[in-house]
Amino acid sequence: MKKTADNKAPRAGNSDTFKSGKVTYLSPLPLPTGLPPVDHSHIVAEVTDEYLELGAFTPNVFGWQLTLAMPMFVVVLSVIVAPTLFFFLGLLWGKGFGDAIDIWLLFFQEGLQYGAGFGSVILLIALFPTLQAHFKLRGVVPTRFNRQRREVCLVPSDSDTPVIVPWEELQAWVIQAQGVTQYGVQRQFGFGFGGTDPKTGKGTSLELMSAGLPLAISTWEALRAYMEYEVNSLTEIQDPLELQKPGDPPWEGVHTFYNARDRMRRRRREGEVGWYYPFLWYCYHLLTLWTLPNHLTEWEVRKLKRLNRRATPEAAQRWSEPLPEAQWAKPSDELKRLSEKVRQKQKANPGRLPYEVFAEVYSEEDRVPQASNL
């Protein structure tokens, strides 16, 4: 998390260019983008009635499956596939079934030794990024969006003092950049936000990578929709892939494994997929050690929650407590008026980029005082 923020706040729709790309602003004044509110990167860790918590890292089952599948593939190849192959070769070119069994035992013993050794090395290499991410997360405080207060709480990485930014003054932007590497032209996209605490004058900002510009804008729209009471739960902004049932915890875990198995069986029963789909499903999950990745994901979620609670300053925890409804902050008249104008333009001409609509609305706003002076 950066420590500084721009002193001169731009307007939504403005753009700044730099040598390798462009920064386009989506706020202050968080106007509706018209894109679906979807957290494609799963950076939102928790949604409550009081606040939305933006985590630096959200554990997922696939990461653990990939980590375990690589060494298991080496073991299966060394202990099962190779000995079986040489068993049949022994039947074809050996002196009988006894020779084939001897060949199988020889390659099984060798495969067990080398498979265990190489598999362990690959497992340690695969675990390194996970361990590195855990060390980076020590002391990192998630960002919180409090819709009852209509404020955002950011904690810089080098300070325990929260920076409380009014929601309507928060700067948000998307970044498009490109550069030439040995592999060709590489395009990168990002999403960021930040601002200054009006009480202390301290500022900070946070930037996150994204797979594409529409995905980055959709992430911002998910935050905006939550703050404006347009969405109220994590499942509304994150695609659960039909793996979350009512009452399930919002993160991935053992429950998602059994939900996925139920979905697979239902699809086979209803004729959506052939016999090969269940066969491949079971092979994949046996290769990834059945429910072990799901148990590891749940362990990781619990560990990160403990780290986050330990790192969150007491001031941020008090700030996150619920308020009586009579004390809830309300959106400004300017935000409501401009948001309605944006929605009318989006409805009249759908498909336009959000910041183009923002720029047009503000351009019309700038012409109003000039016309009244004539």
Side-chain angles (χ1 to χ4, degrees):
M1 184 175 287
K2 298 180 180 179
K3 188 178 180 181
T4 59
D6 296 334
N7 292 326
K8 185 178 179 181
R11 291 196 307 193
N14 289 0
S15 295
D16 291 332
T17 58
F18 54 95
K19 188 175 181 180
S20 59
K22 181 172 69 171
V23 177
T24 306
Y25 295 92
L26 303 175
S27 72
L29 280 188
L31 303 173
T33 65
L35 270 69
V38 181
D39 174 26
H40 295 277
S41 301
H42 284 219
I43 59 174
V44 176
E46 184 178 3
V47 173
T48 69
D49 291 338
E50 295 81 35
Y51 63 84
L52 175 150
E53 186 172 89
L54 197 69
F57 171 70
T58 303
N60 61 80
V61 171
F62 179 74
W64 283 109
Q65 288 176 334
L66 186 63
T67 299
L68 296 174
M70 291 187 289
M72 281 301 299
F73 178 78
V74 173
V75 172
V76 170
L77 189 65
S78 303
V79 177
I80 298 177
V81 177
T84 303
L85 176 62
F86 282 101
F87 171 79
F88 286 109
L89 291 177
L91 286 177
L92 290 175
W93 295 316
K95 295 181 180 180
F97 187 77
D99 279 355
I101 290 293
D102 291 339
I103 292 174
W104 183 88
L105 286 173
L106 174 64
F107 278 94
F108 176 80
Q109 293 171 354
E110 293 293 324
L112 188 62
Q113 179 181 351
Y114 286 103
F118 283 113
S120 298
V121 172
I122 293 173
L123 178 62
L124 291 174
I125 295 174
L127 283 173
F128 179 76
T130 302
L131 297 175
Q132 189 179 38
H134 276 298
F135 281 115
K136 286 183 178 180
L137 285 171
R138 291 184 180 276
V140 174
V141 182
T143 300
R144 289 182 175 180
F145 290 73
N146 191 317
R147 62 183 182 181
Q148 293 182 356
R149 297 178 182 272
R150 293 184 68 81
E151 293 175 338
V152 181
C153 177
L154 304 97
V155 181
S157 56
D158 58 351
S159 173
D160 290 333
T161 303
V163 174
I164 308 297
V165 182
W167 165 239
E168 295 188 16
E169 298 177 15
L170 186 75
Q171 299 176 36
W173 58 86
V174 288
I175 304 171
Q176 307 172 65
Q178 65 180 24
V180 180
T181 68
Q182 58 180 333
Y183 304 106
V185 177
Q186 299 285 331
R187 301 198 68 185
Q188 293 182 325
F189 304 92
F191 155 68
F193 55 86
T196 302
D197 190 326
K199 295 180 180 179
T200 64
K202 293 182 178 180
T204 190
S205 63
L206 176 66
E207 287 186 355
L208 303 162
M209 298 298 295
S210 180
L213 186 62
L215 305 185
I217 299 175
S218 283
T219 301
W220 165 249
E221 178 63 20
L223 303 178
R224 189 206 67 80
Y226 169 79
M227 292 294 286
E228 301 300 336
Y229 292 88
E230 296 171 16
V231 299
N232 302 287
S233 66
L234 191 60
T235 54
E236 292 179 79
I237 61 175
Q238 289 184 357
D239 181 9
L241 300 175
E242 300 180 14
L243 300 182
Q244 299 284 0
K245 292 183 178 179
D248 286 343
W251 54 81
E252 296 184 29
V254 179
H255 60 283
T256 56
F257 173 87
Y258 291 111
N259 292 344
R261 189 178 65 176
D262 291 343
R263 184 184 64 173
M264 176 271 296
R265 291 175 174 175
R266 176 186 56 79
R267 295 183 66 192
R268 177 69 185 111
R269 188 168 56 249
E270 296 177 358
E272 295 182 21
V273 295
W275 64 266
Y276 59 89
Y277 182 78
F279 174 76
L280 294 175
W281 191 93
Y282 281 109
C283 287
Y284 173 78
H285 286 88
L286 286 172
L287 184 66
T288 56
L289 300 181
W290 205 238
T291 60
L292 181 58
N294 304 77
H295 284 288
L296 289 171
T297 302
E298 290 188 347
W299 165 81
E300 197 173 10
V301 168
R302 291 193 296 268
K303 183 177 180 180
L304 289 178
K305 284 184 174 294
R306 288 196 300 269
L307 287 173
N308 291 344
R309 284 196 297 268
R310 206 173 299 153
T312 302
E314 185 178 348
Q317 294 180 8
R318 291 197 303 269
W319 175 88
S320 303
E321 293 176 356
L323 295 174
E325 188 171 354
Q327 297 179 19
W328 291 5
K330 305 296 182 184
S332 66
D333 292 338
E334 183 182 16
L335 175 62
K336 291 189 287 186
R337 180 175 59 82
L338 293 180
S339 295
E340 182 59 29
K341 291 188 67 173
V342 166
R343 289 191 177 95
Q344 290 176 1
K345 289 184 177 296
Q346 290 168 342
K347 185 177 180 180
N349 191 4
R352 297 177 64 191
L353 291 171
Y355 42 81
E356 292 178 353
V357 179
F358 300 163
E360 181 179 326
V361 168
Y362 276 115
S363 177
E364 292 175 357
E365 290 287 310
D366 289 341
R367 290 196 295 268
V368 170
Q370 296 176 9
S372 63
N373 291 332
L374 294 178

